[in-house]
Amino acid sequence: DVKVTQSSRYLVKRTGEKVFLECVQDMDHENMFWYRQDPGLGLRLIYFSYDVKMKEKGDIPEGYSVSREKKERFSLILESASTNQTSMYLCASSRYRSDGYTFGSGTRLTVV
Amino acid sequence: DAKTTQPNSMESNEEEPVHLPCNHSTISGTDYIHWYRQLPSQGPEYVIHGLTSNVNNRMASLAIAEDRKSSTLILHRATLRDAAVYYCILRDVGSSNTGKLIFGQGTTLQVKP
């Protein structure tokens, strides 16, 4: 069965820390995505990548950056964590643009 | 991005069919219709997708109107495990797009025993 694995299920970080959220997929997918999900706001796209070393801004990229050095790994970086970045973060991947996405289980990040 | 409209919530009885509607009157020729569902405390799960013809898989069926301005996700026999938020999303795969999914608020499906 295909899998998208997010490195942590729960994470607590302090304000100002640099935070790395890791996502690995084992399906040789070209496209990878990072979303955050907040009550009342739904899922919002932060960044996506359709190839190694390629990245595109989503709808809410401010305060975030990404890295895709290898096809299977897509990292989300919070350069200086703030309390308004407390959220559920979801990673997803797909092979082709028309295909369905496979999502990871999510990382619930709390910034204190 | 073309938008979809879904009812906020629906109820169903266990073991009965469920028809979840979605309107997408501004759909373009390169938009695929995708359905996902999200159970509590989990990431979204792909259910089904289609372009023009009706589609069936082990989870559900997707009925697409002839003019493509609406679609219906059909769960043939609802179980308690089908209680979730269901998202209908248009995925534009035109040459200038990377096919990113834009999620709306979805339909919360309650299944009663």
Side-chain angles (χ1 to χ4, degrees):
Chain A
D1 213 5
V2 297
K3 281 190 92 169
V4 174
T5 303
Q6 295 185 232
S7 53
S8 305
R9 190 83 172 98
Y10 298 94
L11 212 51
V12 180
K13 294 292 181 181
R14 296 195 180 279
T15 301
E17 274 193 80
K18 190 169 186 175
V19 180
F20 293 85
L21 301 182
E22 305 288 344
C23 175
V24 177
Q25 49 96 1
D26 64 0
M27 300 163 283
D28 199 36
H29 282 178
E30 304 290 335
N31 306 297
M32 296 188 75
F33 306 83
W34 274 106
Y35 289 83
R36 64 177 282 178
Q37 185 170 28
D38 302 286
L41 297 175
L43 281 94
R44 294 179 291 168
L45 182 64
I46 306 171
Y47 266 98
F48 59 101
S49 166
Y50 48 88
D51 203 352
V52 175
K53 297 192 186 295
M54 303 295 286
K55 59 184 179 183
E56 293 281 342
K57 292 181 180 179
D59 299 316
I60 52 163
E62 297 78 21
Y64 303 94
S65 62
V66 289
S67 172
R68 190 150 180 220
E69 296 296 319
K70 293 184 178 181
K71 192 175 188 179
E72 66 270 18
R73 187 181 295 271
F74 192 35
S75 303
L76 180 69
I77 303 155
L78 286 65
E79 297 291 342
S80 177
S82 63
T83 54
N84 63 12
Q85 292 178 310
T86 291
S87 186
M88 169 68 86
Y89 289 87
L90 290 154
C91 176
S93 73
S94 73
R95 181 179 297 278
Y96 304 118
R97 288 183 297 178
S98 60
D99 281 356
Y101 283 27
T102 301
F103 279 85
S105 299
T107 295
R108 186 165 292 282
L109 173 67
T110 302
V111 182
V112 297
Chain B
D1 297 308
K3 290 190 69 172
T4 63
T5 304
Q6 300 176 254
N8 287 332
S9 62
M10 290 185 64
E11 281 187 2
S12 171
N13 294 318
E14 198 176 9
E15 299 192 4
E16 289 186 358
V18 182
H19 290 234
L20 295 161
C22 182
N23 287 317
H24 28 78
S25 59
T26 59
I27 192 169
S28 74
T30 52
D31 280 323
Y32 277 75
I33 301 161
H34 280 241
W35 283 84
Y36 290 77
R37 71 180 187 182
Q38 188 173 21
L39 280 65
S41 301
Q42 295 188 26
E45 175 187 26
Y46 166 80
V47 177
I48 201 166
H49 77 285
L51 183 61
T52 56
S53 304
N54 295 343
V55 185
N56 299 295
N57 66 21
R58 63 176 178 80
M59 289 181 71
S61 296
L62 175 60
I64 301 172
E66 203 168 321
D67 64 5
R68 300 210 321 129
K69 293 186 177 183
S70 65
S71 61
T72 303
L73 179 71
I74 303 164
L75 306 179
H76 296 286
R77 267 179 94 229
T79 69
L80 297 178
R81 289 177 297 174
D82 291 323
V85 179
Y86 286 79
Y87 298 98
C88 168
I89 306 165
L90 300 182
R91 190 174 188 192
D92 189 349
V93 296
S95 59
S96 62
N97 289 281
T98 54
K100 60 186 181 181
L101 289 175
I102 304 297
F103 284 78
Q105 296 303 310
T107 296
T108 300
L109 175 67
Q110 293 182 327
V111 180
K112 296 185 286 186

